[in-house]
Amino acid sequence: SAAAVLIAALLTTACTSPPRTPTGLPSGTGGADGVGAEGIGDPYFPRYGNGGYDVGHYGIQVRYDPATDRLTGRVAITAVAAAPLRRFNLDFTGLPTSKVTVNGQPATARQEESELVVTPAAVVRGDFTVEIDYAGVPQPIKAILGDGGWLHTDDGAIALGQPESASSWFPVNDHPLDKATFDLAISVPEGLSALSNGTPEGTTTADGWTTWRWAERAPMAPYLTTLVIGDYRITSGSHRNRPILTAVASSFPADGDADRAMARTAEVADFLETQFGPYPFESYGGVVVADPRISYALETQSRPVYGPSFFRAGSDSTWVVAHELAHQWFGDSVSIGGWQHIWLNEGFASYAEWLWAEKDRKISVQSQFDDVYRLMDWSIPTGDPGPANIFSGAVYRRGALTVHALRLTVGDDAFFRILKAWTGERRNGNAVTADFVSLSERVSGKSLRPLFDAWLFGTTQPPVPKP
Ligand code: ARG
Ligand code: ZN
C-alpha cells in the first residue's frame, strides 16, 4: 500500500543514517572518544558539517583585493561542545592558515581535503571560542550540481552556492542543522561595494580601503551566506521599520528590468506575508549580479542573489523574486534538517510563484497546478529524490503540486493555518518532512499520511484530491 511505501522510505532513512534525536534530526555529536565527527550525519552529503559542537556566532573579517585575487581573513567562532572534545573539524577548502587558537590558546590545525582538523591544547568542554587567521586565493567548489563557492569576477567576486559555498571563504560548520548569527566586516578597494546578508551597519574608509559591515542577527544556515564585491548601484531605505537594501550590477541599464524587479521587493514580501505569516527577518533586500556563470538565483538570507538571466527586457521577472522571498520563510527561517527534505524549501517557494502569478497577473493557482500535473514525470520521489536530484522538477514542481494537493484536501482555511503554524512554530529552527506531516494533521484534524505518501514518495500519478 501507499502507507507501506512511506514507512519503508522512513525506515530506510533511519537505518542508513547516524543516531537521531526524537525530531528525526541527526544528533550531530562526535565520537565517544572525544573526537568530533567529520560530518554532521547528512545521508546525502556525509562530509557536510561536523560533529561534536554547535556554533552560536561567526565574526568574520575579510579583506579582498580583486587585482591579486587574494583574500585575507580572520574568523572568530563561539560554539558549545556537545561532549568533551580533544579534536574537532571545520569545513574549509584549504586557504592556508597562519594562526589558530582555541579559547585563546594556540592550537594545531591540519588541512585534510576540505576539512580543517583542529587539535586544541586542552580538551574543550562547554562554551568555547576558535580564532583562525588565513590568507590565499579562494577557489570555487566543484560539485556534481554545479560550482558553488568563491567566484572571481571582472570587477570583484561573488561567494554563493547551494548545498555548500561558505567553506570556500571561511572555516565553518557547513550544514543547515548548525545555524548561527553572523557579523561581517569586508574590506575592499575604495570605490567598490561589498554586499552581504542582514542589516547594513555602515562603511568606513581609510588608506584606500573601504570596510563594509553587515550583521545577520537571526540564525542563518551557512550556505545562505553571500558576499558580492564589485560595481553596484545600491538603493537603500526602510520598509516597515526595517532596513531594505537592493543592489544591481552597474553594467545593467539604470531603470531596466533588473532595477524594476528589485524595486518590487517590498511589495512582493508584503504579499507573501499575507499568505505565510510575519516576515521572519530584520532586513529586506536583493542583489542582481551580471556574471553569466551565476545561472540561478539563491535565497541568501534577507538578501537573495539573482543571476543575470532572469532579467531580459520586456519579461516579467517578479516570479523569481516571489520564489526567493518565499524561501525567507521556507528554507531560511524554517531550515531543513537534512538535504533529503529539500522539497520543504523548493516545493513551497515554487508554490509561492503560483500564488504571486494569481495575485499579480490573475492566472489562477488551479490552472497552474492543472498544467504541471498533466506534464509531470512521477518517477522521482519528491520526499527522497537522491543527492543528484535535489534541484529537479520532482522537488520544485512536484513539490508545489503536493502543496496544492494538501490545500485541496484540507480546504483554504486549514491550509493557510497550516502554513502560518509551520512558519510560526518552526521559526529560526530546523524541521523535516515528518514534522510537516504531523503539523498538517494536527492543524487540520485530518489523517493525511496516505496523501503525503502518494504525493511525496509514490512513483505513479496520484489522483487529484476532490475538495
Ligand atoms: N535554491 C535555489 C532556488 O531555487 C536554487 C539553487 C540552485 N543551485 C545550483 N547550484 N544550481 O532558488
Ligand atoms: Zn528555490
Side-chain angles (χ1 to χ4, degrees):
S1 77
V5 177
L6 173 59
I7 289 161
L10 293 172
L11 285 177
T12 312
T13 317
C15 294
T16 53
S17 16
R20 280 169 185 261
T21 62
T23 58
L25 305 175
S27 61
T29 52
D33 54 355
V35 175
E38 67 168 17
I40 206 166
D42 192 288
Y44 282 15
F45 304 106
R47 291 191 70 172
Y48 281 14
N50 305 281
Y53 63 93
D54 184 69
V55 175
H57 184 77
Y58 294 90
I60 298 171
Q61 284 173 267
V62 294
R63 171 179 292 239
Y64 180 68
D65 187 356
T68 60
D69 201 13
R70 199 176 153 81
L71 180 82
T72 308
R74 164 174 295 179
V75 59
I77 297 171
T78 57
V80 185
L85 281 177
R86 62 181 171 81
R87 200 171 85 206
F88 61 89
N89 282 24
L90 286 157
D91 302 305
F92 197 38
T93 53
L95 296 175
T97 59
S98 55
K99 188 173 166 213
V100 179
T101 66
V102 175
N103 290 332
Q105 303 288 87
T108 57
R110 144 183 119 249
Q111 190 71 36
E112 279 182 11
E113 293 171 37
S114 57
E115 304 269 326
L116 186 69
V117 182
V118 179
T119 307
V123 170
V124 158
R125 292 186 167 79
D127 292 340
F128 68 106
T129 59
V130 186
E131 274 191 29
I132 300 173
D133 288 352
Y134 56 96
V137 175
Q139 304 296 327
I141 299 172
K142 303 266 171 232
I144 38 165
L145 301 165
D147 291 354
W150 193 273
L151 208 58
H152 185 186
T153 63
D154 289 345
D155 56 342
I158 301 168
L160 192 69
Q162 184 187 19
E164 61 173 339
S165 142
S167 64
S168 68
W169 60 285
F170 64 96
V172 56
N173 195 23
D174 201 357
H175 190 278
L177 274 173
D178 195 355
K179 298 167 71 162
T181 54
F182 286 74
D183 277 297
L184 301 116
I186 306 141
S187 302
V188 292
E190 187 175 358
L192 294 182
S193 299
L195 306 157
S196 188
N197 308 91
T199 299
E201 304 269 280
T203 63
T204 49
T205 299
D207 302 326
W209 290 82
T210 300
T211 300
W212 296 65
R213 292 196 169 72
W214 303 89
E216 179 50 70
R217 295 187 183 87
M220 172 164 69
Y223 80 92
L224 295 171
T225 55
T226 186
L227 186 50
V228 177
I229 296 169
D231 285 314
Y232 285 82
R233 192 158 53 237
I234 295 177
T235 305
S236 65
S238 84
H239 178 64
R240 308 183 55 198
N241 284 326
R242 299 172 171 111
I244 178 164
L245 185 146
T246 59
V248 175
S250 303
S251 56
F252 284 89
D255 292 320
D257 193 59
D259 292 79
R260 275 201 309 276
M262 287 304 98
R264 295 186 73 184
T265 291
E267 176 196 351
V268 175
D270 286 354
F271 166 68
L272 294 176
E273 181 166 277
T274 67
Q275 311 291 293
F276 301 153
Y279 181 75
F281 300 126
E282 183 184 277
S283 54
Y284 297 95
V287 179
V288 180
V289 299
D291 195 303
R293 289 172 297 172
I294 303 295
S295 59
Y296 56 90
L298 186 59
E299 60 268 24
T300 46
Q301 191 155 309
S302 78
R303 193 156 292 109
V305 172
Y306 304 90
S309 64
F310 299 102
F311 307 98
R312 297 220 171 80
S315 69
D316 168 53
S317 313
T318 54
W319 69 268
V320 70
V321 176
H323 181 107
E324 302 314 330
L325 293 183
H327 276 306
Q328 304 306 309
W329 287 262
F330 297 95
D332 294 8
S333 176
V334 184
S335 300
I336 51 179
W339 285 106
Q340 73 271 38
H341 306 288
I342 182 140
W343 83 278
L344 290 169
N345 298 1
E346 302 304 345
F348 289 87
S350 301
Y351 195 68
E353 295 173 35
W354 296 356
L355 293 167
W356 174 249
E358 183 171 86
K359 149 93 177 158
D360 196 49
R361 295 190 289 143
K362 312 279 175 293
I363 305 169
S364 77
V365 169
Q366 186 61 47
S367 69
Q368 298 179 79
F369 170 93
D370 292 343
D371 290 348
V372 175
Y373 176 79
R374 240 192 331 273
L375 298 171
M376 195 68 224
D377 167 352
W378 301 89
S379 61
I380 299 168
T382 304
D384 191 10
N389 292 318
I390 62 172
F391 300 124
S392 67
V395 169
Y396 283 64
R397 289 192 296 281
R398 189 171 156 187
L401 292 176
T402 302
V403 172
H404 194 65
L406 170 66
R407 181 174 175 178
L408 292 174
T409 304
V410 301
D412 280 8
D413 180 63
F415 174 73
F416 287 103
R417 280 191 287 116
I418 288 168
L419 298 191
K420 287 170 182 163
W422 181 249
T423 60
E425 293 176 19
R426 297 285 175 166
R427 183 174 181 185
N428 290 336
N430 291 90
V432 300
T433 299
D435 298 322
F436 187 74
V437 174
S438 321
L439 181 138
S440 299
E441 289 193 321
R442 169 164 59 78
V443 172
S444 69
K446 285 197 149 97
S447 164
L448 298 169
R449 264 154 231 277
L451 174 88
F452 283 112
D453 185 5
W455 287 80
L456 293 177
F457 294 97
T459 52
T460 54
Q461 185 181 59
V464 178
K466 297 268 179 302

